[in-house]
Amino acid sequence: MKVGGYVWLRGHGSKPLRDTHGEAIAFRVTDSKALVGHGTWYQVRTAHRAAQDIFGGWHTGLALIPVSLAELAEGPRQ
């Protein structure tokens, strides 16, 4: 994952985190840091206010699902 790229956060069953309308919430990677012995961490932000308050911030790569711009337009993989 690269800074500026889009990701979904893994939710229940490794599916993208969704809002109350069932739409997957896209996050943008704003920073990354490689920490010795702890892997790479990614800082993510979203325009979805509630999701930003709760889930915005730093996550390991295991918590993220990479997403292309085409997938953003189509919706999440099932």
Side-chain angles (χ1 to χ4, degrees), residues 5-60:
Y6 288 91
V7 296
W8 287 307
L9 287 179
R10 287 187 198 280
H12 183 67
S14 290
K15 295 192 179 193
L17 182 68
R18 296 179 184 274
D19 65 15
T20 57
H21 303 288
E23 298 291 323
I25 301 169
F27 288 79
R28 190 163 197 168
V29 177
T30 58
D31 198 3
S32 67
K33 293 194 185 296
L35 303 174
V36 177
H38 298 284
T40 302
W41 286 70
Y42 301 90
Q43 186 174 38
V44 298
R45 293 190 54 82
T46 184
H48 189 289
R49 293 179 79 180
Q52 175 60 34
D53 287 347
I54 299 167
F55 300 106
W58 292 93
H59 297 273
T60 66

Side-chain angles (χ1 to χ4, degrees), residues 8 15-16 18 22-25 67 71-72 74-78:
W8 287 307
K15 295 192 179 193
R18 296 179 184 274
E23 298 291 323
I25 301 169
V67 57
E71 286 177 300
L72 279 177
E74 296 170 8
R77 299 181 286 246
Q78 297 298 321

